Amino acid sequence: MKAKLIVEVASRASPSTIALAAAARQTGGRLVSILPVPVLDESQEVIKNSGLKDQVEFRTEDPSKILPYCENIDFSLVDCKDENYARLFNLLDVNPTR
């Protein structure tokens, strides 16, 4: 896919976060990982220890406020543990060519 912008809405860094960050490194892209504040430090440590910190931008704001500013998303992952996940899908501006 050669994804340049990957967006993840999750409850914490997980193996999926590491895989998405590795994919971003392979494609020269970046991962925007939207997480709750309480897990930010732990999540940053996981990514740092994986050697992928340059590929990941962590955000802790409400996903519904951040997603409208993420334009032409090439790949996204929305953690369905968030009770508003269906609403979040509607906010994704997906790149139509990828």
Side-chain angles (χ1 to χ4, degrees), residues 7 30 37 41 81:
V7 176
R30 69 185 175 109
V37 172
D41 290 341
K81 292 177 186 165

Side-chain angles (χ1 to χ4, degrees), residues 53-85:
K53 70 177 182 146
D54 292 339
Q55 282 69 45
V56 182
E57 173 188 344
F58 287 104
R59 303 290 300 265
T60 57
E61 298 93 335
D62 178 349
S64 65
K65 292 190 174 31
I66 297 171
L67 288 175
Y69 295 99
C70 296
E71 298 177 342
N72 289 316
I73 298 168
D74 297 311
F75 188 87
S76 63
L77 183 142
V78 176
D79 184 342
C80 292
K81 292 177 186 165
D82 185 312
E83 65 226 23
N84 297 314
Y85 73 90

Side-chain angles (χ1 to χ4, degrees), residues 42-53:
E42 174 190 337
S43 298
Q44 288 175 321
E45 189 68 24
V46 167
I47 292 301
K48 179 182 170 193
N49 292 340
S50 300
L52 297 165
K53 70 177 182 146

Side-chain angles (χ1 to χ4, degrees), residues 13-46:
S14 68
S16 296
T17 308
I18 295 168
L20 293 172
R25 181 169 53 192
Q26 290 287 323
T27 64
R30 69 185 175 109
L31 167 62
V32 176
S33 183
I34 305 168
L35 304 167
V37 172
V39 299
L40 180 61
D41 290 341
E42 174 190 337
S43 298
Q44 288 175 321
E45 189 68 24
V46 167

